[in-house]
């Protein structure tokens, strides 16, 4: 289940970092993703690099990974979508009363929100960023807002403690800090390229201040996405959980401070999380278990891509029409008017979520609380530019 090795280092005085991939032999982990993981483990100050079962190649650094470092932090490992994460809402509407076809015809989360964005941010304790025109929008790529029904409850005690009902709909929102996080990373890369920042320096402190702002803004963005989605279907709801999977956070003890970087890795130290599959698969509500250091206090954040976007477009166009991809095997509806994105995000482009979660269970990292099935997945009403 776990493979571990020491990497070569850039400095003879720096102890070698451990590299660990948490995945079974039944899980497909691309060799390039492991190569990227090992390359990042050779960065100065790195002590641990962990690949989760959804590990796949990214732009220079892998996605589905967590890293611990000492003395340096690395904005490049966090990436451009700082604060991206998943929020889950319990919806005050019975699943049997869902009208996905009607909702799919009228839901529209594009464009600036018509409400008071400044006031909304103040309510959430977040300062303005200059990117408020995008507040309350899902964004492109793999982001979504999805209405779900409860497929099965596996741990009734935890499920009930979260205030959930098996009869009611849920809403899962996956989005981040939109252009704010991208601007923060670009400013760093313009000065430091992919280099790190020494702990305690003015540059590091300035980045962390901007980073924390983007994390808070991303959380508020998910809340507004959920509000717009719920208003669009004539429902209300309350937030059950919200976790961030793109961030860098300090972990301090009496002896030292380490920096935990998560790139597409959900936290295992903040309570229950939802690990979604593709839009045509179940999502898993899980509760973390076991000793967190084994996995760098992190979990898979989703299924992980199996194909690149270009490969998915080519393969899916040969097998499916765009119209056919707006329905899933769960008979759920998909709102996505960007044809390229519709093919890129097709379910076969992703790893099987069942295998990803099984790997986490077998590694002693999670216990499944419930499985959730898609009812309506919102991606975009117009092509994202």
């Amino acid at each position: 289940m776990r493979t571990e090795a020491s990497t070569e280092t850039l400095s003879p005085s720096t102890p070698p970092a451990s590299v660990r991939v948490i995945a079974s032999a039944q899980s497909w982990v691309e060799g390039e993703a492991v190569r990227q993981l090992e390359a990042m483990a050779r960065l100065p100050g790195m002590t641990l690099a962990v690949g989760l079962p959804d590990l796949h190649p990214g732009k220079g650094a892998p996605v589905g990974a967590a890293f611990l470092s000492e003395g340096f932090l690395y904005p490049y490992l966090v990436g451009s979508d700082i604060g991206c994460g998943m929020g889950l809402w319990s919806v005050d509407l019975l699943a049997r009363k869902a009208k996905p076809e009607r909702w799919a015809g009228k839901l529209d989360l594009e464009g600036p929100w018509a409400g008071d964005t400044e006031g909304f941010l103040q309510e959430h304790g977040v300062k303005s960023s200059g990117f408020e025109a995008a507040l309350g929008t899902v964004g492109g790529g793999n982001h979504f807002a999805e209405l779900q029904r409860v497929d099965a409850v596996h741990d009734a005690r935890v499920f009930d403690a979260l205030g959930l009902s098996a009869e009611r709909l849920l809403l899962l929102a996956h989005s981040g800090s939109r252009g704010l996080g991208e601007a923060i990373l670009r400013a760093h890369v313009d000065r430091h390229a992919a280099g790190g920042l020494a702990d305690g320096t003015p540059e590091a402190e300035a980045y962390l201040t901007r980073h924390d702002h983007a994390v808070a803004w991303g959380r508020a963005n998910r809340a507004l996405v959920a509000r717009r989605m719920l208003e669009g279907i004539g429902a209300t709801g309350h937030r059950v959980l919200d976790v961030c999977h793109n961030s860098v956070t300090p972990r301090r003890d009496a002896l030292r401070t380490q920096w935990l970087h998560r790139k597409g890795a959900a936290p295992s130290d903040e309570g229950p999380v939802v690990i979604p599959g593709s839009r045509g698969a179940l999502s898993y509500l899980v509760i973390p278990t076991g000793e967190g250091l084994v996995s760098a206090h992190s979990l898979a954040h989703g299924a992980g891509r199996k194909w690149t976007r270009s490969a998915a477009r080519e393969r899916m166009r040969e097998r499916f029409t765009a119209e056919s991809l707006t329905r899933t095997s769960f008979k759920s509806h998909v709102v996505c008017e960007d044809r390229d994105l519709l093919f890129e995000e097709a379910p076969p482009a992703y790893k099987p979520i069942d295998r990803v979660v099984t790997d986490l269970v077998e590694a002693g990292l999670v216990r499944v609380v419930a499985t959730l099935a898609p009812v309506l997945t919102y991606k975009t009403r117009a092509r994202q530019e």
Side-chain angles (χ1 to χ4, degrees), residues 321-377:
T321 65
E323 177 61 28
S324 69
L325 291 175
T326 62
R327 301 290 186 276
T328 75
S329 59
F330 287 90
K331 299 183 179 179
S332 62
H333 292 245
V334 179
V335 177
C336 183
E337 295 180 356
D338 180 332
R339 290 175 65 88
D340 283 346
L341 190 62
L342 194 60
F343 289 113
E344 292 168 3
E345 291 289 301
Y350 283 84
K351 301 179 185 182
I353 187 62
D354 297 354
R355 184 68 255 172
V356 169
V357 174
T358 297
D359 282 0
L360 295 175
V361 171
E362 292 178 348
L365 298 179
V366 302
R367 186 170 71 250
V368 176
V369 175
T371 49
L372 315 173
V375 173
L376 172 63
T377 306

Side-chain angles (χ1 to χ4, degrees), residues 84-373:
C84 187
M86 304 275 181
L88 183 70
W89 279 258
S90 176
V91 181
D92 188 21
L93 189 65
L94 294 173
R96 60 182 173 81
K97 293 188 175 182
K99 300 176 176 64
E101 187 169 6
R102 180 188 301 178
W103 296 338
K106 68 176 185 177
L107 274 172
D108 190 346
L109 276 65
E110 308 305 319
W113 181 49
D116 177 10
T117 55
E118 299 292 333
F120 182 87
L121 287 174
Q122 287 181 8
E123 289 174 13
H124 287 77
V126 182
K127 66 179 182 180
S128 301
S129 67
F131 291 87
E132 275 63 54
L135 188 69
T137 61
V138 173
N142 64 350
H143 296 148
F144 62 83
E146 183 171 274
L147 290 163
Q148 302 174 328
R149 60 176 173 81
V150 177
D151 171 71
V153 176
H154 299 270
D155 189 326
R157 182 184 63 82
V158 176
F159 187 84
D160 293 343
L162 289 171
L164 298 175
S165 166
E167 285 74 41
R168 296 191 180 277
L169 289 172
L170 295 165
L171 170 61
L172 183 65
H174 173 206
S175 191
S177 57
R178 307 293 278 111
L180 173 59
E182 183 178 1
I184 293 170
L185 180 65
R186 188 184 303 116
H188 170 79
V189 171
D190 286 347
R191 291 195 62 187
H192 304 280
L197 300 172
D199 191 359
T201 61
E203 292 85 359
E205 295 302 320
Y207 170 78
L208 290 170
T209 297
R210 294 190 292 266
H211 164 282
D212 292 349
H213 178 209
V215 169
W217 199 97
R219 181 181 173 93
N221 183 50
R222 287 187 289 279
L224 188 52
V225 166
R227 176 170 169 174
R228 295 180 77 179
M229 189 84 165
L230 293 174
E231 287 177 349
I233 67 171
T236 59
H238 68 273
R239 184 162 55 191
V240 177
L241 60 88
D242 188 285
V243 297
C244 170
H245 54 235
N246 285 356
S247 66
V248 58
T249 53
R251 296 192 69 86
R252 298 185 174 93
D253 58 31
L255 299 176
R256 62 181 179 175
T257 295
Q258 289 190 299
W259 293 98
L260 174 53
H261 307 74
R262 294 184 175 111
K263 176 60 175 174
S268 66
D269 52 2
E270 298 180 18
V273 302
V274 176
I275 305 176
S278 70
R279 65 179 182 239
L282 295 172
S283 294
Y284 283 76
L285 174 62
V286 304
I287 186 166
T289 58
E291 196 279 308
L293 186 58
V294 170
S295 63
H297 308 281
S298 302
L299 304 170
H301 80 310
R305 291 197 72 88
K306 183 172 62 177
W307 300 335
T308 65
R309 293 190 175 278
S310 59
R313 286 196 304 271
E314 293 174 6
R315 295 185 184 198
M316 292 297 96
R317 281 181 174 133
E318 293 174 355
R319 296 169 53 186
F320 301 101
T321 65
E323 177 61 28
S324 69
L325 291 175
T326 62
R327 301 290 186 276
T328 75
S329 59
F330 287 90
K331 299 183 179 179
S332 62
H333 292 245
V334 179
V335 177
C336 183
E337 295 180 356
D338 180 332
R339 290 175 65 88
D340 283 346
L341 190 62
L342 194 60
F343 289 113
E344 292 168 3
E345 291 289 301
Y350 283 84
K351 301 179 185 182
I353 187 62
D354 297 354
R355 184 68 255 172
V356 169
V357 174
T358 297
D359 282 0
L360 295 175
V361 171
E362 292 178 348
L365 298 179
V366 302
R367 186 170 71 250
V368 176
V369 175
T371 49
L372 315 173

